[in-house]
Each structure stands twice: as C-alpha cells, then as structure tokens.
Short mmCIF file of all heavy atoms in Angstrom, two decimals:
data_model
loop_
_atom_site.label_atom_id
_atom_site.label_comp_id
_atom_site.label_asym_id
_atom_site.label_seq_id
_atom_site.Cartn_x
_atom_site.Cartn_y
_atom_site.Cartn_z
N ASP A 192 -6.61 -0.38 13.82
CA ASP A 192 -6.44 -0.43 15.29
C ASP A 192 -6.97 -1.81 15.78
O ASP A 192 -6.39 -2.39 16.57
CB ASP A 192 -7.14 0.74 15.94
CG ASP A 192 -6.49 2.03 15.65
OD1 ASP A 192 -5.48 2.08 15.07
OD2 ASP A 192 -7.18 3.06 16.01
N LYS A 193 -8.14 -2.08 15.40
CA LYS A 193 -8.82 -3.33 15.92
C LYS A 193 -7.95 -4.62 15.52
O LYS A 193 -7.90 -5.40 16.50
CB LYS A 193 -10.27 -3.45 15.37
CG LYS A 193 -11.05 -4.67 15.81
CD LYS A 193 -12.39 -4.74 15.20
CE LYS A 193 -13.13 -5.98 15.67
NZ LYS A 193 -14.40 -6.12 14.90
N THR A 194 -7.52 -4.64 14.43
CA THR A 194 -6.65 -5.78 13.99
C THR A 194 -5.42 -5.84 14.77
O THR A 194 -5.09 -6.96 15.32
CB THR A 194 -6.34 -5.74 12.50
OG1 THR A 194 -7.52 -5.62 11.71
CG2 THR A 194 -5.73 -6.95 11.99
N VAL A 195 -4.69 -4.77 15.02
CA VAL A 195 -3.52 -4.79 15.71
C VAL A 195 -3.77 -5.16 17.24
O VAL A 195 -3.05 -5.88 17.78
CB VAL A 195 -2.81 -3.37 15.73
CG1 VAL A 195 -1.65 -3.28 16.71
CG2 VAL A 195 -2.34 -3.06 14.28
N GLU A 196 -4.84 -4.62 17.81
CA GLU A 196 -5.19 -5.01 19.13
C GLU A 196 -5.56 -6.38 19.37
O GLU A 196 -5.21 -7.09 20.37
CB GLU A 196 -6.40 -4.11 19.67
CG GLU A 196 -5.98 -2.60 19.78
CD GLU A 196 -7.17 -1.73 20.06
OE1 GLU A 196 -8.32 -2.13 19.73
OE2 GLU A 196 -6.96 -0.59 20.59
N GLU A 197 -6.17 -7.05 18.31
CA GLU A 197 -6.51 -8.43 18.40
C GLU A 197 -5.41 -9.35 18.22
O GLU A 197 -5.24 -10.34 18.94
CB GLU A 197 -7.61 -8.75 17.13
CG GLU A 197 -8.99 -8.30 17.37
CD GLU A 197 -9.83 -8.44 16.24
OE1 GLU A 197 -9.26 -9.03 15.20
OE2 GLU A 197 -11.02 -8.30 16.36
N VAL A 198 -4.41 -8.93 17.35
CA VAL A 198 -3.24 -9.72 17.17
C VAL A 198 -2.19 -9.59 18.31
O VAL A 198 -1.49 -10.49 18.65
CB VAL A 198 -2.50 -9.37 15.71
CG1 VAL A 198 -1.23 -10.17 15.54
CG2 VAL A 198 -3.53 -9.56 14.66
N ASN A 199 -2.14 -8.33 18.81
CA ASN A 199 -1.25 -7.95 19.90
C ASN A 199 0.21 -8.46 19.44
O ASN A 199 0.84 -9.22 20.18
CB ASN A 199 -1.66 -8.64 21.18
CG ASN A 199 -0.84 -8.02 22.40
OD1 ASN A 199 -0.32 -6.95 22.36
ND2 ASN A 199 -0.83 -8.85 23.43
N PRO A 200 0.74 -8.00 18.36
CA PRO A 200 2.00 -8.58 17.86
C PRO A 200 3.24 -8.06 18.62
O PRO A 200 3.39 -7.06 19.32
CB PRO A 200 2.14 -7.89 16.41
CG PRO A 200 1.24 -6.54 16.58
CD PRO A 200 0.27 -6.93 17.56
N SER A 201 4.24 -9.01 18.60
CA SER A 201 5.55 -8.68 19.19
C SER A 201 6.38 -8.13 18.07
O SER A 201 7.25 -7.23 18.36
CB SER A 201 6.22 -9.93 19.69
OG SER A 201 5.45 -10.40 20.86
N VAL A 202 6.29 -8.62 16.82
CA VAL A 202 7.00 -8.21 15.63
C VAL A 202 5.95 -7.89 14.45
O VAL A 202 5.24 -8.88 14.06
CB VAL A 202 8.01 -9.18 15.15
CG1 VAL A 202 8.84 -8.56 13.95
CG2 VAL A 202 8.93 -9.59 16.32
N ALA A 203 5.95 -6.69 14.00
CA ALA A 203 5.06 -6.30 12.96
C ALA A 203 5.90 -5.74 11.83
O ALA A 203 6.91 -5.11 11.99
CB ALA A 203 3.96 -5.18 13.49
N LEU A 204 5.27 -5.81 10.63
CA LEU A 204 5.95 -5.30 9.41
C LEU A 204 4.89 -4.49 8.69
O LEU A 204 3.82 -4.89 8.53
CB LEU A 204 6.41 -6.50 8.54
CG LEU A 204 6.96 -6.04 7.13
CD1 LEU A 204 8.27 -5.30 7.27
CD2 LEU A 204 7.09 -7.36 6.24
N GLU A 205 5.38 -3.26 8.30
CA GLU A 205 4.56 -2.43 7.37
C GLU A 205 5.24 -2.29 6.00
O GLU A 205 6.45 -1.91 6.04
CB GLU A 205 4.26 -1.13 8.01
CG GLU A 205 3.56 -0.12 7.09
CD GLU A 205 3.39 1.35 7.64
OE1 GLU A 205 4.34 1.77 8.29
OE2 GLU A 205 2.38 1.98 7.39
N LEU A 206 4.58 -2.51 4.87
CA LEU A 206 5.11 -2.21 3.58
C LEU A 206 4.42 -0.99 2.97
O LEU A 206 3.27 -1.02 2.71
CB LEU A 206 4.85 -3.44 2.76
CG LEU A 206 5.44 -4.71 3.21
CD1 LEU A 206 5.06 -5.88 2.28
CD2 LEU A 206 6.87 -4.70 3.38
N GLY A 207 5.13 0.07 2.94
CA GLY A 207 4.66 1.33 2.52
C GLY A 207 4.44 2.32 3.58
O GLY A 207 3.31 2.52 4.19
N THR A 208 5.53 3.09 3.99
CA THR A 208 5.56 3.89 5.16
C THR A 208 4.93 5.22 4.91
O THR A 208 4.14 5.80 5.62
CB THR A 208 6.93 4.21 5.64
OG1 THR A 208 7.76 3.06 5.69
CG2 THR A 208 6.99 4.93 7.06
N TYR A 209 5.09 5.79 3.61
CA TYR A 209 4.61 7.08 3.13
C TYR A 209 5.09 8.14 4.26
O TYR A 209 6.31 8.20 4.41
CB TYR A 209 3.17 7.13 2.89
CG TYR A 209 2.64 8.40 2.31
CD1 TYR A 209 3.36 9.03 1.21
CD2 TYR A 209 1.53 9.02 2.77
CE1 TYR A 209 2.92 10.08 0.61
CE2 TYR A 209 0.99 10.22 2.15
CZ TYR A 209 1.70 10.70 1.11
OH TYR A 209 1.37 11.87 0.52
N CYS A 210 4.18 8.96 4.83
CA CYS A 210 4.64 9.90 5.69
C CYS A 210 4.79 9.44 7.22
O CYS A 210 4.92 10.37 8.05
CB CYS A 210 3.57 11.13 5.72
SG CYS A 210 3.71 12.04 4.13
N GLY A 211 4.41 8.26 7.47
CA GLY A 211 4.58 7.67 8.80
C GLY A 211 3.29 7.66 9.58
O GLY A 211 3.28 7.21 10.75
N TYR A 212 2.10 7.95 8.95
CA TYR A 212 0.89 7.94 9.60
C TYR A 212 0.55 6.63 10.23
O TYR A 212 0.34 6.43 11.45
CB TYR A 212 -0.19 8.46 8.63
CG TYR A 212 -1.71 8.39 9.19
CD1 TYR A 212 -2.20 9.60 9.71
CD2 TYR A 212 -2.40 7.21 9.23
CE1 TYR A 212 -3.45 9.48 10.30
CE2 TYR A 212 -3.75 7.24 9.85
CZ TYR A 212 -4.23 8.37 10.33
OH TYR A 212 -5.56 8.41 10.78
N SER A 213 0.47 5.52 9.34
CA SER A 213 0.20 4.30 9.86
C SER A 213 1.21 3.68 10.81
O SER A 213 0.91 2.85 11.71
CB SER A 213 -0.19 3.23 8.77
OG SER A 213 0.80 3.27 7.76
N ALA A 214 2.48 4.01 10.60
CA ALA A 214 3.52 3.50 11.44
C ALA A 214 3.23 4.12 12.90
O ALA A 214 3.43 3.32 13.91
CB ALA A 214 4.86 4.06 11.04
N VAL A 215 2.89 5.39 12.99
CA VAL A 215 2.51 6.02 14.30
C VAL A 215 1.32 5.15 14.93
O VAL A 215 1.31 5.01 16.07
CB VAL A 215 2.36 7.48 14.19
CG1 VAL A 215 1.82 8.13 15.51
CG2 VAL A 215 3.68 8.17 13.75
N ARG A 216 0.36 5.06 13.99
CA ARG A 216 -0.88 4.41 14.41
C ARG A 216 -0.72 3.01 14.95
O ARG A 216 -1.23 2.67 16.06
CB ARG A 216 -1.92 4.43 13.22
CG ARG A 216 -3.32 3.96 13.59
CD ARG A 216 -4.37 4.60 12.68
NE ARG A 216 -5.63 4.52 13.47
CZ ARG A 216 -6.46 5.57 13.54
NH1 ARG A 216 -6.31 6.74 12.87
NH2 ARG A 216 -7.53 5.43 14.19
N ILE A 217 0.11 2.21 14.35
CA ILE A 217 0.47 0.88 14.80
C ILE A 217 1.28 0.95 16.10
O ILE A 217 0.99 0.23 17.11
CB ILE A 217 1.10 0.17 13.80
CG1 ILE A 217 0.16 -0.22 12.64
CG2 ILE A 217 1.63 -1.25 14.25
CD1 ILE A 217 0.89 -0.75 11.30
N ALA A 218 2.37 1.74 16.09
CA ALA A 218 3.29 1.77 17.14
C ALA A 218 2.61 2.23 18.51
O ALA A 218 3.06 1.66 19.48
CB ALA A 218 4.43 2.77 16.86
N ARG A 219 1.72 3.11 18.47
CA ARG A 219 1.13 3.56 19.65
C ARG A 219 0.27 2.43 20.44
O ARG A 219 0.04 2.48 21.52
CB ARG A 219 0.17 4.77 19.39
CG ARG A 219 -1.21 4.40 19.05
CD ARG A 219 -1.94 5.57 18.45
NE ARG A 219 -3.38 5.54 18.46
CZ ARG A 219 -4.17 4.81 17.71
NH1 ARG A 219 -3.60 3.90 16.82
NH2 ARG A 219 -5.51 4.82 17.86
N LEU A 220 0.08 1.29 19.66
CA LEU A 220 -0.78 0.23 20.20
C LEU A 220 0.09 -0.94 20.56
O LEU A 220 -0.36 -1.94 21.17
CB LEU A 220 -1.82 -0.19 19.23
CG LEU A 220 -2.81 0.82 18.80
CD1 LEU A 220 -3.75 0.28 17.83
CD2 LEU A 220 -3.69 1.31 20.03
N LEU A 221 1.34 -0.91 20.29
CA LEU A 221 2.23 -1.96 20.60
C LEU A 221 2.52 -2.15 22.13
O LEU A 221 2.82 -1.22 22.70
CB LEU A 221 3.59 -1.90 19.88
CG LEU A 221 3.46 -2.01 18.27
CD1 LEU A 221 4.71 -1.80 17.66
CD2 LEU A 221 2.81 -3.29 17.83
N LYS A 222 2.70 -3.39 22.59
CA LYS A 222 3.06 -3.61 23.88
C LYS A 222 4.45 -3.46 24.17
O LYS A 222 5.30 -3.27 23.20
CB LYS A 222 2.66 -5.06 24.24
CG LYS A 222 3.39 -6.20 23.42
CD LYS A 222 2.79 -7.54 23.70
CE LYS A 222 3.43 -8.50 22.59
NZ LYS A 222 2.82 -9.90 22.80
N ALA A 223 4.82 -3.39 25.42
CA ALA A 223 6.29 -3.15 25.78
C ALA A 223 7.14 -4.25 25.24
O ALA A 223 6.74 -5.45 25.32
CB ALA A 223 6.37 -3.20 27.35
N GLY A 224 8.26 -3.88 24.58
CA GLY A 224 9.13 -4.85 24.01
C GLY A 224 8.83 -5.22 22.56
O GLY A 224 9.67 -5.82 21.86
N ALA A 225 7.68 -4.81 22.05
CA ALA A 225 7.30 -5.06 20.72
C ALA A 225 7.85 -4.09 19.75
O ALA A 225 8.15 -2.92 20.19
CB ALA A 225 5.71 -5.16 20.45
N HIS A 226 8.04 -4.37 18.51
CA HIS A 226 8.49 -3.30 17.59
C HIS A 226 7.94 -3.57 16.13
O HIS A 226 7.41 -4.61 15.76
CB HIS A 226 10.03 -3.37 17.50
CG HIS A 226 10.67 -4.64 17.03
ND1 HIS A 226 10.71 -5.75 17.68
CD2 HIS A 226 11.13 -4.98 15.72
CE1 HIS A 226 11.39 -6.74 16.95
NE2 HIS A 226 11.60 -6.26 15.83
N LEU A 227 7.93 -2.42 15.43
CA LEU A 227 7.53 -2.32 14.07
C LEU A 227 8.64 -2.07 13.05
O LEU A 227 9.43 -1.14 13.25
CB LEU A 227 6.36 -1.23 13.90
CG LEU A 227 5.96 -0.91 12.46
CD1 LEU A 227 5.16 -1.98 11.80
CD2 LEU A 227 5.12 0.41 12.49
N LEU A 228 8.63 -2.88 11.98
CA LEU A 228 9.63 -2.66 10.88
C LEU A 228 8.89 -2.09 9.76
O LEU A 228 7.76 -2.72 9.35
CB LEU A 228 10.26 -3.88 10.42
CG LEU A 228 11.22 -4.69 11.44
CD1 LEU A 228 11.61 -5.98 10.98
CD2 LEU A 228 12.40 -3.84 11.81
N THR A 229 9.15 -0.91 9.31
CA THR A 229 8.29 -0.28 8.24
C THR A 229 9.23 0.06 7.03
O THR A 229 10.44 0.60 7.17
CB THR A 229 7.65 1.03 8.76
OG1 THR A 229 6.79 1.58 7.71
CG2 THR A 229 8.60 2.12 9.24
N VAL A 230 8.75 -0.36 5.81
CA VAL A 230 9.60 -0.34 4.62
C VAL A 230 9.09 0.80 3.76
O VAL A 230 7.83 0.83 3.37
CB VAL A 230 9.60 -1.68 3.90
CG1 VAL A 230 10.41 -1.67 2.65
CG2 VAL A 230 10.01 -2.76 4.83
N GLU A 231 9.98 1.67 3.24
CA GLU A 231 9.57 2.70 2.36
C GLU A 231 10.63 2.76 1.14
O GLU A 231 11.90 2.96 1.43
CB GLU A 231 9.49 4.06 2.97
CG GLU A 231 9.15 5.21 2.12
CD GLU A 231 7.93 4.97 1.25
OE1 GLU A 231 6.89 4.67 1.77
OE2 GLU A 231 8.07 5.10 -0.03
N PHE A 232 10.12 2.78 -0.06
CA PHE A 232 11.06 2.79 -1.23
C PHE A 232 11.50 4.20 -1.51
O PHE A 232 12.61 4.46 -1.98
CB PHE A 232 10.30 2.23 -2.38
CG PHE A 232 11.01 2.25 -3.71
CD1 PHE A 232 12.10 1.48 -4.05
CD2 PHE A 232 10.64 3.17 -4.72
CE1 PHE A 232 12.76 1.54 -5.22
CE2 PHE A 232 11.29 3.35 -5.89
CZ PHE A 232 12.42 2.53 -6.11
N ASN A 233 10.60 5.18 -1.39
CA ASN A 233 10.86 6.51 -1.79
C ASN A 233 11.63 7.20 -0.70
O ASN A 233 11.21 7.43 0.43
CB ASN A 233 9.57 7.34 -1.98
CG ASN A 233 9.68 8.69 -2.52
OD1 ASN A 233 10.59 9.52 -2.07
ND2 ASN A 233 8.90 9.09 -3.59
N PRO A 234 12.94 7.73 -0.96
CA PRO A 234 13.73 8.35 -0.02
C PRO A 234 13.19 9.66 0.61
O PRO A 234 13.42 10.01 1.71
CB PRO A 234 15.06 8.60 -0.65
CG PRO A 234 14.75 8.52 -2.20
CD PRO A 234 13.63 7.63 -2.38
N GLU A 235 12.47 10.48 -0.28
CA GLU A 235 11.84 11.71 0.23
C GLU A 235 10.69 11.37 1.22
O GLU A 235 10.65 12.04 2.24
CB GLU A 235 11.30 12.44 -0.98
CG GLU A 235 12.39 12.96 -1.90
CD GLU A 235 11.76 13.78 -3.04
OE1 GLU A 235 10.61 14.08 -3.07
OE2 GLU A 235 12.49 14.03 -3.97
N PHE A 236 9.94 10.32 0.93
CA PHE A 236 8.91 9.94 1.92
C PHE A 236 9.47 9.44 3.27
O PHE A 236 9.08 9.65 4.30
CB PHE A 236 7.95 8.84 1.36
CG PHE A 236 7.08 9.29 0.14
CD1 PHE A 236 6.44 8.40 -0.69
CD2 PHE A 236 7.02 10.68 -0.19
CE1 PHE A 236 5.68 8.78 -1.67
CE2 PHE A 236 6.34 11.15 -1.28
CZ PHE A 236 5.52 10.19 -2.10
N ALA A 237 10.62 8.67 3.05
CA ALA A 237 11.28 8.03 4.25
C ALA A 237 11.80 9.10 5.12
O ALA A 237 11.75 9.07 6.45
CB ALA A 237 12.45 7.16 3.77
N ALA A 238 12.34 10.24 4.57
CA ALA A 238 12.91 11.34 5.35
C ALA A 238 11.83 12.02 6.13
O ALA A 238 11.96 12.43 7.30
CB ALA A 238 13.65 12.33 4.45
N ILE A 239 10.63 12.15 5.50
CA ILE A 239 9.44 12.86 6.12
C ILE A 239 8.97 11.96 7.29
O ILE A 239 8.75 12.40 8.35
CB ILE A 239 8.36 13.12 5.12
CG1 ILE A 239 8.77 14.04 4.04
CG2 ILE A 239 7.04 13.53 5.89
CD1 ILE A 239 8.82 15.45 4.57
#
C-alpha cells in the first residue's frame, strides 16, 4: 500500500495474480484514469 501510494502510478503491472488479492489491493489505491495490468499463467487461478 505504502509503495503504491508513494509512486501514485498511472500504469501498473502485477506478475502473478493468483486469486486477485493484491490486484484488488493495488486497484483500490489507483487514481482516476490509472489502471493495472495483472498477469496470471494458471487458467484456474485467472478464472477465480
């Protein structure tokens, strides 16, 4: 959280989505117009 708030990114990338916990955690802190790309190799995890 602290790192995302300090960086205040417009474009962020996550490698390893798993169940989406950290994607939700990052996304809730993004400013208007910013977005997160999150990459997941496992199709079952991606669906969850």
